[in-house]
Amino acid sequence: MTKRIFRSIFLVALVVLLLSVALLSVVFYNDYAVQYRSELKSEALSMAHAINGGLAEEDYLRSLEQDKISPIRITWIGADGTVRYDNEAAPAQMENHAARTEVADALRYGAGESERYSATLSQKTFYYACRLQDGTVLRLAGTRDSVLGILLRMLRPAVAAVLVAIALAWLLSYRLSKRIVRPLNALDLEHPEQAEAYDELSPLLEKISAQNRQIAAQMDELRRRQTEFTAITEHMNEGLLIVDARTNLLFCNPSARRLLQIENVEKQSVLAVNRSEDFREAVQRALSGEHDLRTLTLDGRIYQLMANPAMEDGRLAGAVLVLLDVTEREDREQLRREFTANVSHELRTPLTSISGFAELIRDGIAKPQDVQHFAGNIYTEAQRLIALVGDIIRLSQLDEGSVGSEKTDLRLDGMAASVVSRLQDAAAQHDVTLRTELKPCRVHGIAQIVDELIYNLCDNAIKYNRKGGSVTVSTAEENGQPVLRVADTGIGIPAAEQDRVFERFYRVDKSHSRAIGGTGLGLSIVKHAAAYHHARVALESTLGTGTTVTVTFPRPGEA
């Protein structure tokens, strides 16, 4: 801006200077010409007066030539136009002057004047003629330079003067431009209302101040929204990615960086962070304006990828991608399918047996002495169905937390003793010895569920024991917490299977499990019963040596 102001002022000053010089030259030259013609006329009239006073024309004129009192050319012309005298040329060699304008006017009107220009010499000659009393004409001529001639003659000093004027104009323009711009450069645009500037700038400064307030309010709102957006996205477990219409990655939250191992967000295509075909197709469909939903597997976990187009004023601006961890949901769905299949299988087996025995009896195929045996089998399988359905109902109640009873203070050692007493006959049938090491301790829970928990642990320990083995049931307080421990000397559980024995219907040795009966839900009920009471279940087992299951309940005041 300073340069533009400087150039403008300098050019204006230069143009004004040149125009002023030209105008003054013309004015002074015209004034000089008028004055010169006036002096020439006065000189001619003075000479004419002297001659008319009685002086001999030729003698008088020669006396002037001898005195050289004037640089003026003097010509005496007869009435017929012949030159009788000239102080610069021989009269005999001069042509007749009767046709000259000034001479003709003098002969006719008594006086005449004219002006002739010499392009060769760049000079102008003024002529003035007056008629004498004897009818002859006295003419005076004076030569002066034209404007161009004067300028050429004064070229060197004129150039010097112009250069000085230009330098002065440059200096003044520079200083003036700096002075004009200084208040503008000193403006504090963040606080324009405090600026000391030109009055003409007041409307502009007021507008800037209003815009600053508006921008500040908008920036505050943007920062607030950015803070909210950042707070939400940084604490999301879901991965969030935002891309533009050219697949460039604009934003991704920490979860997305972790899942997709993104190090640098800027100047990176989202297609480079995951090169799987499903991911590429989802992005391309979203950027074509379609919603897309599909499943990806990342680091052994299952994620649902939701890709949605982002529109702005009816135009596709980009896409929003969300990665949702659905591993647990898929696992639960898988467990549900397995549970449904297992329930169907477990129900089908006894129902098939019942149906078969009933069909034999109905069709009269069974011998009378076999009817009681078949009826016994039907009863056994029915009881198995009832136990299975009861266990399924109990698991459902524990899952939903709808047990229907309130928690009370219970003697864990007393409940363990009761269960051991009820299982003595079953232990004897399997040639297993039941032992107890019961120390007084209390838990806060539901008696029926705690009883089922102890019963299932002891029942499993008996069924999966070996002949002559033993089961030890102990209760005690450890670190202020009630602990139930059931240890057996049975077949043990392989290390690879230990994490799955608490799953519904899961059996380590399916053939052995079928032989000893049971629904396959015992340890699942133990797991859910413990979870209902906020207890921890720990299993330690060595193949061929035995298994120990420890249930640690919370302190009675913490349950």
Side-chain angles (χ1 to χ4, degrees):
M1 183 176 180
T2 304
K3 292 181 178 179
R4 294 182 64 183
I5 293 176
F6 165 74
R7 286 197 300 267
S8 299
I9 295 175
F10 178 71
L11 289 176
V12 169
L14 188 59
V15 170
V16 170
L17 173 64
L18 295 176
L19 290 177
S20 298
V21 170
L23 180 62
L24 289 174
S25 298
V26 173
V27 170
F28 290 153
Y29 181 79
N30 289 335
D31 184 68
Y32 166 71
V34 171
Q35 184 178 359
Y36 188 81
R37 285 196 298 268
S38 177
E39 291 178 356
L40 188 65
K41 183 178 179 180
S42 298
E43 186 73 19
L45 293 176
S46 177
M47 291 182 182
H49 180 71
I51 293 172
N52 288 333
L55 295 175
E57 289 90 339
E58 189 171 353
D59 294 338
Y60 175 70
L61 295 176
R62 291 190 182 280
S63 65
L64 292 178
E65 183 182 354
Q66 293 175 358
D67 294 338
K68 297 184 179 183
I69 61 173
S70 174
I72 298 172
R73 183 176 183 179
I74 304 171
T75 306
W76 180 36
I77 304 166
D80 57 356
T82 57
V83 179
R84 297 182 179 181
Y85 172 80
D86 189 275
N87 63 345
E88 292 185 2
Q93 298 176 358
M94 298 178 67
E95 62 184 8
N96 190 286
H97 279 38
R100 301 293 176 90
T101 303
E102 69 278 4
V103 176
D105 289 343
L107 292 173
R108 182 180 300 177
Y109 304 111
E113 61 182 31
S114 66
E115 179 179 291
R116 286 187 283 277
Y117 175 72
S118 173
T120 304
L121 300 176
S122 296
Q123 291 180 334
K124 279 186 178 182
T125 303
F126 293 98
Y127 299 90
Y128 182 81
C130 62
R131 189 177 60 203
L132 300 177
Q133 292 179 352
D134 59 2
T136 58
V137 174
L138 177 65
R139 188 188 71 174
L140 271 65
T143 301
R144 63 181 180 85
D145 292 331
S146 64
V147 175
L148 180 59
I150 295 173
L151 292 177
L152 290 175
R153 187 158 46 88
M154 299 179 60
L155 181 60
R156 184 173 297 176
V159 169
V162 169
L163 291 178
V164 171
I166 291 174
L168 182 61
W170 185 92
L171 178 61
L172 293 177
S173 299
Y174 177 79
R175 296 189 62 180
L176 185 58
S177 61
K178 287 288 187 181
R179 184 176 179 181
I180 291 173
V181 174
R182 187 179 298 113
L184 300 179
N185 291 335
L187 285 178
D188 183 1
L189 295 181
E190 294 184 1
H191 305 90
E193 66 280 355
Q194 301 176 3
E196 296 181 2
Y198 308 114
D199 294 338
E200 292 79 4
L201 293 178
S202 296
L204 175 62
L205 297 179
E206 291 175 2
K207 186 173 292 186
I208 292 175
S209 179
Q211 289 179 346
N212 284 348
R213 291 192 296 270
Q214 182 179 0
I215 292 172
Q218 292 174 346
M219 290 299 296
D220 290 340
E221 178 66 15
L222 288 175
R223 279 192 289 268
R224 184 185 66 80
R225 292 186 180 182
Q226 180 66 31
T227 301
E228 292 177 355
F229 181 77
T230 302
I232 292 172
T233 56
E234 284 188 351
H235 294 87
M236 286 174 59
N237 291 326
E238 299 82 4
L240 175 65
L241 302 97
I242 301 176
V243 300
D244 63 14
R246 295 185 296 274
T247 75
N248 293 321
L249 188 58
L250 301 178
F251 171 83
C252 64
N253 67 345
S255 295
R257 288 193 182 95
R258 175 178 52 80
L259 293 175
L260 299 173
Q261 298 179 355
I262 301 174
E263 296 180 359
N264 184 20
V265 176
E266 295 183 0
K267 297 180 180 180
Q268 182 175 193
S269 172
V270 72
L271 300 178
V273 303
N274 187 289
R275 301 184 183 276
S276 66
E277 188 65 24
D278 285 336
F279 188 85
R280 180 180 296 273
E281 289 181 0
V283 173
Q284 290 175 346
R285 287 195 62 187
L287 292 178
S288 65
E290 301 179 19
H291 170 75
D292 191 82
L293 180 65
R294 61 185 68 208
T295 302
L296 297 177
T297 301
L298 301 172
D299 294 333
R301 297 189 67 82
I302 303 171
Y303 292 88
Q304 190 175 69
L305 173 62
M306 293 176 285
N308 292 291
M311 310 298 293
E312 183 179 2
D313 298 330
R315 180 180 58 85
L316 183 69
V320 178
L321 310 177
V322 178
L323 284 168
L324 178 64
D325 191 343
V326 294
T327 305
E328 293 182 2
R329 188 185 73 184
E330 292 295 321
D331 289 346
R332 287 196 300 270
E333 180 64 20
Q334 180 64 26
L335 288 175
R336 184 192 66 77
R337 289 193 291 267
E338 291 179 358
F339 178 72
T340 301
N342 287 330
V343 167
S344 299
H345 179 74
E346 294 294 336
L347 290 175
R348 186 182 297 111
T349 301
L351 284 174
T352 300
S353 298
I354 292 172
S355 177
F357 291 134
E359 184 179 5
L360 291 174
I361 295 173
R362 183 197 67 184
D363 295 340
I365 299 176
K367 298 177 181 179
Q369 61 268 26
D370 293 332
V371 171
Q372 185 176 2
H373 173 69
F374 289 163
N377 289 336
I378 291 173
Y379 176 79
T380 300
E381 294 298 334
Q383 291 301 312
R384 182 179 172 187
L385 278 174
I386 291 171
L388 177 61
V389 172
D391 286 347
I392 293 173
I393 292 172
R394 176 60 65 195
L395 278 174
S396 177
Q397 290 174 338
L398 291 172
D399 280 341
E400 297 175 0
S402 57
V403 178
S405 301
E406 294 184 359
K407 293 181 179 180
T408 58
D409 287 335
L410 306 172
R411 286 281 303 271
L412 184 60
D413 55 314
M415 297 187 72
S418 175
V419 169
V420 169
S421 175
R422 297 202 309 267
L423 288 173
Q424 286 293 349
D425 291 342
Q429 291 177 6
H430 287 80
D431 194 16
V432 173
T433 302
L434 280 175
R435 299 191 181 95
T436 58
E437 297 177 0
L438 305 175
K439 295 182 180 180
C441 58
R442 289 180 174 276
V443 296
H444 188 69
I446 297 175
Q448 182 183 0
I449 297 177
V450 174
D451 181 83
E452 289 181 2
L453 183 151
I454 300 172
Y455 186 93
N456 280 301
L457 286 176
C458 295
D459 187 48
N460 263 24
I462 293 171
K463 289 178 180 179
Y464 292 96
N465 216 314
R466 55 172 173 261
K467 291 186 179 299
S470 64
V471 175
T472 302
V473 181
S474 61
T475 59
E477 280 194 6
E478 298 178 2
N479 299 320
Q481 292 180 284
V483 174
L484 168 70
R485 187 173 285 109
V486 178
D488 64 59
T489 59
I491 60 177
I493 304 171
E497 309 285 346
Q498 292 179 12
D499 291 336
R500 302 198 61 188
V501 294
F502 291 98
E503 295 178 9
R504 300 173 187 186
F505 295 110
Y506 186 80
R507 292 181 171 92
V508 176
D509 186 348
K510 293 179 174 56
S511 60
H512 181 69
S513 299
R514 299 291 182 193
I516 64 176
T519 63
L521 297 174
L523 288 181
S524 291
I525 292 176
V526 169
K527 175 184 176 182
H528 285 76
Y532 186 83
H533 288 86
H534 307 292
R536 300 190 307 274
V537 180
L539 182 144
E540 297 177 3
S541 183
T542 303
L543 193 62
T545 301
T547 301
T548 300
V549 179
T550 303
V551 182
T552 304
F553 292 87
R555 295 180 180 88
E558 298 176 353

